[in-house]
């Protein structure tokens, strides 16, 4: 299976698509970061990416990420934690991930802050927003975002860097444009309020099916798994 997947060519296609989408929308391609979502994929495939110059990876399971980091043992790599995080797993993530994309409760933020204090680090986080109000998704509802920010903004060892969303699964990526635009407007709105301790410049949105639309709508981070590594096989 693995041998059939041409990671090098997949990566260059994704980078080219991002570049085209940036051009179409008058954006600087350097303002967009690609996270290679390596969840469920073996270290051997991650190494192939590294050989192609890609050093930013995303994982959604705390222990899987920690063991891959230990195995690869490479300080040049950046790891983003993008999955739902339980409080008892925070210890595996804080200090390992350069950013946690999935903060969706005050208790989780509190646990991340406590672990960051313990380790003497500042933890960059994103607030996960359930932008389409789907029952099946984690995340804060857009209407609750200001209360949420108020509750977490004074934790000394977390830095709120922006917003993240997992858009609905759709056949036509254009259907998600409205959600990406909504998330961006939310970020602009938050910044316009000049809340103490809060300035956000990260918009993590767009996956294999819709990252080009997300870039057109202002994504600064796109998270692409299948488009680089091929389909995931869950056993
Ligand atoms: C798995 C995952 C991705 C990547 O999804 P693809 O459709 O394979 O690109 C992106 N973001 C999150 C939060 C994920 O869990």
């Amino acid at each position: 299976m693995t041998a059939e997947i041409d990671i090098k060519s997949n990566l260059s296609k994704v980078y080219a698509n991002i570049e085209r989408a940036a051009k179409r929308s008058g954006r600087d391609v350097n303002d967009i970061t690609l996270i290679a979502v390596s969840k469920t994929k073996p270290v051997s495939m991650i190494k192939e990416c590294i050989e192609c110059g890609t050093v930013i990876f995303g994982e959604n399971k705390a222990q899987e990420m920690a063991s891959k980091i230990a195995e690869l043992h490479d300080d040049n790599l950046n790891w983003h934690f993008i999955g739902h995080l339980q409080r008892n797993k925070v210890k595996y993530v804080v200090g390992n991930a350069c950013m946690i994309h999935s903060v969706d409760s005050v208790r989780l933020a509190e646990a991340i802050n406590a672990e960051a204090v313990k380790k003497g680090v500042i933890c960059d986080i994103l607030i996960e927003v359930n932008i389409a109000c789907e029952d099946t998704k984690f995340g804060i509802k857009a209407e609750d975002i200001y209360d949420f920010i108020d509750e977490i903004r004074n934790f000394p060892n977390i830095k709120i860097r922006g917003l993240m969303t997992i858009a609905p699964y759709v056949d036509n990526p254009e259907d998600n444009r409205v959600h990406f635009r909504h998330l961006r407007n939310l970020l602009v709105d938050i910044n316009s309020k000049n809340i103490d301790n809060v300035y956000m410049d990260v918009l993590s949105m767009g996956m294999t099916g819709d990252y080009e639309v997300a870039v057109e709508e202002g994504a600064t981070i796109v998270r692409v798994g299948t488009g680089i590594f091929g389909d995931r096989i869950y056993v």
Side-chain angles (χ1 to χ4, degrees):
M1 284 295 285
T2 303
E4 294 166 19
I5 291 160
D6 188 343
I7 287 182
K8 188 174 184 187
S9 121
N10 288 349
L11 270 172
S12 39
K13 277 179 206 148
V14 173
Y15 281 120
N17 288 339
I18 290 172
E19 197 163 345
R20 272 195 298 269
K23 274 219 182 88
R24 277 198 298 276
S25 47
R27 299 188 58 202
D28 182 345
V29 71
N30 295 310
D31 293 337
I32 299 143
T33 300
L34 170 66
I35 297 183
V37 177
S38 47
K39 64 189 188 194
T40 81
K41 297 297 179 184
V43 161
S44 59
M45 292 180 96
I46 296 176
K47 284 183 178 159
E48 279 187 64
C49 278
I50 298 169
E51 277 162 25
C52 302
T54 293
V55 293
I56 305 172
F57 297 95
E59 291 282 340
N60 71 337
K61 295 258 177 352
Q63 279 127 313
E64 180 178 344
M65 184 179 76
S67 67
K68 283 174 173 170
I69 291 174
E71 194 177 338
L72 283 154
H73 197 72
D74 182 344
D75 289 341
N76 295 318
L77 308 182
N78 283 310
W79 297 86
H80 289 247
F81 190 81
I82 61 174
H84 184 63
L85 183 55
Q86 290 164 306
R87 284 177 299 148
N88 62 350
K89 304 281 176 64
V90 159
K91 59 177 179 284
Y92 299 111
V93 176
V94 173
N96 264 335
C98 62
M99 191 177 278
I100 300 175
H101 289 226
S102 44
V103 175
D104 62 353
S105 77
V106 176
R107 289 184 342 148
L108 175 61
E110 196 172 23
I112 292 170
N113 181 65
E115 186 66 21
V117 169
K118 195 167 139 190
K119 290 185 172 144
V121 296
I122 301 291
C123 191
D124 280 351
I125 63 139
L126 304 178
I127 298 171
E128 180 169 353
V129 181
N130 184 354
I131 200 72
C133 297
E134 294 174 281
D135 291 339
T136 53
K137 294 257 166 79
F138 293 107
I140 305 289
K141 290 207 172 118
E143 67 208 55
D144 298 328
I145 194 100
Y146 287 103
D147 288 339
F148 186 67
I149 289 172
D150 253 354
E151 291 196 82
I152 70 168
R153 72 189 165 86
N154 285 323
F155 287 128
N157 287 47
I158 62 178
K159 170 89 188 116
I160 310 171
R161 294 290 313 278
L163 306 176
M164 175 272 220
T165 200
I166 303 173
Y169 184 80
V170 290
D171 288 328
N172 180 0
E174 281 298 325
D175 295 346
N176 278 337
R177 188 179 291 279
V178 60
H179 299 305
F180 295 141
R181 192 168 292 177
H182 185 186
L183 196 75
R184 169 147 189 273
N185 287 339
L186 197 58
L187 180 130
V188 169
D189 195 54
I190 291 165
N191 284 334
S192 76
K193 297 225 160 38
N194 291 315
I195 305 165
D196 268 359
N197 262 338
V198 179
Y199 175 77
M200 303 187 176
D201 57 6
V202 177
L203 265 182
S204 169
M205 57 188 196
M207 303 168 39
T208 296
D210 55 19
Y211 66 91
E212 291 153 279
V213 175
V215 166
E216 288 171 5
E217 294 300 328
T220 67
I221 293 180
V222 293
R223 311 176 307 263
V224 178
T226 311
I228 297 169
F229 296 103
D231 288 334
R232 283 178 295 275
I233 298 152
Y234 290 98
V235 284

